[in-house]
Amino acid sequence: MTCASLNPLPAATLADRIDALLPQTQCTQCDYAGCRPYAEAIAGGTAQINRCPPGGTEGIRELAALLDRRPLPLDPACGVERPLKVAVIDEALCIGCTLCIQACPVDCIVGAPRKMHTVIASQCTGCDLCVAPCPTDCVVMVEVQPARNWTRADADAARRRHAERAARQERLRLRDEHRLAGKAVAKLAELDASDDLSAEQLARKKAVVQAAIDRARARRATTPSPDPTA
């Protein structure tokens, strides 16, 4: 029996309720791209409820209660429960490569290229995703002191920051596509004015450029516009 069949709510609504119970660390230990994709997989019946180490045993119990299922032990392939940790950057080793900034799913690392970066500890979800990309091993995870639990308020704030980051990245992607499409249109005009190409060469080059323009237009037509308030 699938998860979806255990709850009469529509899948989208069920995914929302599941997502509300997840910790929003966006750590990907569940093998999904983030908490929302994992919630959708559970709602669709393609993922088990025991793949979230940050949520731990208590999170599994909450998901089991929501879906009217028996709790399962945490899947060891996904990791283990551990105390809340945050990332810390060694200033002496940081070379300002920005790879940790790019990896952070909630924008809690600040800095500029070739400048020392720092972590906003109060916003860090402890996801570990910034550790592996660092070429100088200057990012380490340390336990929060004094020790505390990850709260629902923490999760809600992390969800908001993750959504804001995704919206910003989409705006930048669309901006870049628009810029490149503009260059392609200018290239077509340049080819039309060229006297240095044979008719066959001109047709071939124009076909390549036009295909790139058509692909960009198709992507824009099928991509929802980002929320301007995000």
Side-chain angles (χ1 to χ4, degrees):
M1 187 177 295
T2 66
C3 295
S5 65
L6 292 168
N7 195 303
L9 293 172
T13 303
L14 181 57
D16 289 339
R17 295 180 67 186
I18 293 170
D19 187 59
L21 296 178
L22 295 178
Q24 305 304 315
T25 55
Q26 315 302 337
C27 65
T28 73
Q29 292 184 77
C30 59
D31 288 334
Y32 290 87
C35 294
R36 180 67 192 194
Y38 178 42
E40 291 173 351
I42 295 175
T46 59
Q48 291 286 0
I49 62 174
N50 64 336
R51 300 186 61 80
C52 179
T57 302
E58 179 59 28
I60 294 171
R61 282 200 294 263
E62 291 178 344
L63 291 171
L66 172 66
L67 299 169
D68 193 22
R69 301 179 65 177
R70 287 181 298 179
L72 299 170
L74 179 64
D75 188 339
C78 298
V80 297
E81 289 188 67
R82 67 181 192 185
L84 180 60
K85 294 186 176 184
V86 295
V88 174
I89 296 176
D90 186 332
E91 298 181 12
L93 297 178
C94 178
I95 60 174
C97 69
T98 76
L99 293 178
C100 60
I101 293 177
Q102 297 170 46
C104 180
V106 294
D107 281 346
C108 77
I109 303 177
V110 294
R114 296 182 295 280
K115 302 293 184 181
M116 195 276 292
H117 305 333
T118 190
V119 177
I120 304 173
S122 62
Q123 298 180 3
C124 179
T125 68
C127 69
D128 284 4
L129 294 178
C130 59
V131 175
C134 179
T136 62
D137 291 333
C138 74
V139 185
V140 295
M141 304 301 299
V142 300
E143 291 187 17
V144 172
Q145 295 297 333
R148 70 176 186 87
N149 292 326
W150 186 253
T151 67
R152 181 49 47 197
D154 291 325
D156 291 341
R159 181 191 294 106
R160 183 182 67 254
R161 290 194 301 272
H162 183 59
E164 289 170 350
R165 177 178 185 269
R168 187 188 72 253
Q169 290 181 322
E170 180 63 10
R171 288 195 297 269
L172 293 175
R173 185 186 70 80
L174 292 175
R175 184 197 66 185
D176 289 344
E177 282 195 358
H178 181 74
R179 177 176 55 81
L180 292 174
K183 286 186 175 182
V185 170
K187 185 63 177 179
L188 279 180
E190 179 184 328
L191 290 172
D192 283 334
S194 174
D195 296 326
D196 299 330
L197 300 173
S198 67
E200 181 180 352
Q201 291 173 320
L202 179 62
R204 186 165 59 249
K205 287 181 176 292
K206 290 182 68 174
V208 171
V209 175
Q210 186 61 55
I213 294 174
D214 291 343
R215 287 194 298 272
R217 287 173 176 168
R219 283 195 295 270
R220 287 199 300 273
T222 57
T223 302
S225 298
D227 184 351
T229 65

